[in-house]
mmCIF file of all heavy atoms in Angstrom:
data_model
loop_
_atom_site.group_PDB
_atom_site.id
_atom_site.type_symbol
_atom_site.label_atom_id
_atom_site.label_comp_id
_atom_site.label_asym_id
_atom_site.label_seq_id
_atom_site.Cartn_x
_atom_site.Cartn_y
_atom_site.Cartn_z
ATOM 1 N N ARG S 567 -364.699 30.099 41.670
ATOM 2 C CA ARG S 567 -365.741 29.902 40.667
ATOM 3 C C ARG S 567 -365.534 28.584 39.922
ATOM 4 O O ARG S 567 -366.495 27.848 39.644
ATOM 5 C CB ARG S 567 -365.745 31.061 39.670
ATOM 6 C CG ARG S 567 -366.855 30.919 38.632
ATOM 7 C CD ARG S 567 -366.757 31.920 37.505
ATOM 8 N NE ARG S 567 -367.699 31.567 36.446
ATOM 9 C CZ ARG S 567 -367.577 31.951 35.192
ATOM 10 N NH1 ARG S 567 -366.569 32.728 34.815
ATOM 11 N NH2 ARG S 567 -368.472 31.582 34.288
ATOM 12 N N VAL S 568 -364.273 28.270 39.614
ATOM 13 C CA VAL S 568 -363.979 27.018 38.917
ATOM 14 C C VAL S 568 -364.387 25.826 39.778
ATOM 15 O O VAL S 568 -365.022 24.877 39.298
ATOM 16 C CB VAL S 568 -362.484 26.943 38.565
ATOM 17 C CG1 VAL S 568 -362.159 25.629 37.860
ATOM 18 C CG2 VAL S 568 -362.070 28.122 37.681
ATOM 19 N N LEU S 569 -364.038 25.894 41.065
ATOM 20 C CA LEU S 569 -364.337 24.771 41.951
ATOM 21 C C LEU S 569 -365.833 24.608 42.176
ATOM 22 O O LEU S 569 -366.339 23.479 42.257
ATOM 23 C CB LEU S 569 -363.621 24.964 43.287
ATOM 24 C CG LEU S 569 -362.089 24.974 43.253
ATOM 25 C CD1 LEU S 569 -361.534 25.166 44.658
ATOM 26 C CD2 LEU S 569 -361.541 23.706 42.633
ATOM 27 N N GLU S 570 -366.550 25.700 42.268
ATOM 28 C CA GLU S 570 -367.986 25.620 42.552
ATOM 29 C C GLU S 570 -368.790 25.316 41.294
ATOM 30 O O GLU S 570 -369.615 24.393 41.281
ATOM 31 C CB GLU S 570 -368.468 26.930 43.186
ATOM 32 C CG GLU S 570 -367.909 27.203 44.571
ATOM 33 C CD GLU S 570 -368.496 26.292 45.629
ATOM 34 O OE1 GLU S 570 -369.442 25.538 45.331
ATOM 35 O OE2 GLU S 570 -368.016 26.339 46.779
ATOM 36 N N GLU S 571 -368.577 26.080 40.212
ATOM 37 C CA GLU S 571 -369.408 25.922 39.020
ATOM 38 C C GLU S 571 -369.041 24.683 38.212
ATOM 39 O O GLU S 571 -369.927 23.963 37.736
ATOM 40 C CB GLU S 571 -369.300 27.171 38.141
ATOM 41 C CG GLU S 571 -369.924 28.416 38.757
ATOM 42 C CD GLU S 571 -369.983 29.564 37.763
ATOM 43 O OE1 GLU S 571 -369.974 29.307 36.537
ATOM 44 O OE2 GLU S 571 -370.020 30.730 38.215
ATOM 45 N N ALA S 572 -367.751 24.460 38.026
ATOM 46 C CA ALA S 572 -367.337 23.308 37.231
ATOM 47 C C ALA S 572 -367.154 22.065 38.091
ATOM 48 O O ALA S 572 -367.529 20.962 37.684
ATOM 49 C CB ALA S 572 -366.037 23.623 36.494
ATOM 50 N N GLY S 573 -366.597 22.249 39.282
ATOM 51 C CA GLY S 573 -366.301 21.107 40.136
ATOM 52 C C GLY S 573 -367.432 20.678 41.038
ATOM 53 O O GLY S 573 -367.350 19.614 41.668
ATOM 54 N N GLY S 574 -368.478 21.486 41.136
ATOM 55 C CA GLY S 574 -369.624 21.096 41.948
ATOM 56 C C GLY S 574 -369.421 21.214 43.440
ATOM 57 O O GLY S 574 -370.206 20.657 44.218
ATOM 58 N N GLY S 575 -368.344 21.925 43.866
ATOM 59 C CA GLY S 575 -368.090 22.091 45.291
ATOM 60 C C GLY S 575 -367.457 20.853 45.903
ATOM 61 O O GLY S 575 -367.076 19.907 45.206
ATOM 62 N N PRO S 576 -367.336 20.821 47.232
ATOM 63 C CA PRO S 576 -366.731 19.661 47.891
ATOM 64 C C PRO S 576 -367.690 18.480 47.925
ATOM 65 O O PRO S 576 -368.910 18.654 47.827
ATOM 66 C CB PRO S 576 -366.442 20.179 49.307
ATOM 67 C CG PRO S 576 -367.453 21.247 49.529
ATOM 68 C CD PRO S 576 -367.689 21.892 48.192
ATOM 69 N N PRO S 577 -367.175 17.266 48.052
ATOM 70 C CA PRO S 577 -368.054 16.101 48.221
ATOM 71 C C PRO S 577 -368.894 16.253 49.490
ATOM 72 O O PRO S 577 -368.513 16.964 50.425
ATOM 73 C CB PRO S 577 -367.074 14.927 48.344
ATOM 74 C CG PRO S 577 -365.806 15.422 47.725
ATOM 75 C CD PRO S 577 -365.749 16.881 48.003
ATOM 76 N N THR S 578 -370.004 15.606 49.520
ATOM 77 C CA THR S 578 -370.915 15.691 50.659
ATOM 78 C C THR S 578 -370.200 15.356 51.967
ATOM 79 O O THR S 578 -369.500 14.341 52.056
ATOM 80 C CB THR S 578 -372.102 14.735 50.470
ATOM 81 O OG1 THR S 578 -372.761 15.048 49.242
ATOM 82 C CG2 THR S 578 -373.082 14.848 51.623
#
Side-chain angles (χ1 to χ4, degrees):
R567 182 189 170 203
V568 179
L569 296 180
E570 293 288 352
E571 292 189 24
T578 303

